[in-house]
Amino acid sequence: MKNVPAVKVGLVAVSRDCFPIELSRKRRTMVAAACAAAGIPVTELETIIENDNDVVRALKEIADQGVDALCLYLGNFGPEGPTTLLAQKFGGPVMLAA
């Protein structure tokens, strides 16, 4: 008997605005590639969380992609407030990984 729910995991990167956003984008892509190599399906989300406005955009992108679980990747010292806000407003399972 298989008792594992089917979920679509979204991979979201966060970044402090004092660091180049490209660093977070590159690191997110590397994590997604490592997941793919390990056979772990993830949906790489384009929105990178730097501020509260990004949370609104990310929530729309998450809904549009049909994501029902999140992995917030803290690859660039993400901002705590917007990161926590996204986790709170998402309403599903969330994992923070650094």
Side-chain angles (χ1 to χ4, degrees):
M1 174 169 87
K2 185 176 179 182
N3 190 18
V4 177
V7 294
K8 186 172 182 181
V9 178
L11 179 61
V12 180
V14 302
S15 178
R16 287 207 188 276
D17 59 2
C18 60
F19 292 101
I21 198 167
E22 189 55 40
L23 209 54
S24 289
R25 186 172 288 114
K26 179 180 177 183
R27 290 173 177 170
R28 181 199 62 218
T29 300
M30 290 169 48
V31 170
C35 287
I40 302 167
V42 296
T43 300
E44 194 174 352
L45 299 170
E46 291 301 314
T47 303
I48 295 176
I49 307 300
E50 285 187 315
N51 58 52
D52 293 357
N53 294 329
D54 296 329
V55 172
V56 174
R57 284 197 307 276
L59 288 168
K60 181 177 179 345
E61 184 180 2
I62 288 163
D64 291 348
Q65 294 284 340
V67 167
D68 48 19
L70 284 182
C71 175
L72 299 175
Y73 179 60
L74 311 173
N76 202 15
F77 304 104
E80 293 85 358
T83 301
T84 303
L85 190 60
L86 178 59
Q88 177 188 26
K89 290 190 176 282
F90 173 63
V94 178
M95 176 178 68
L96 286 93

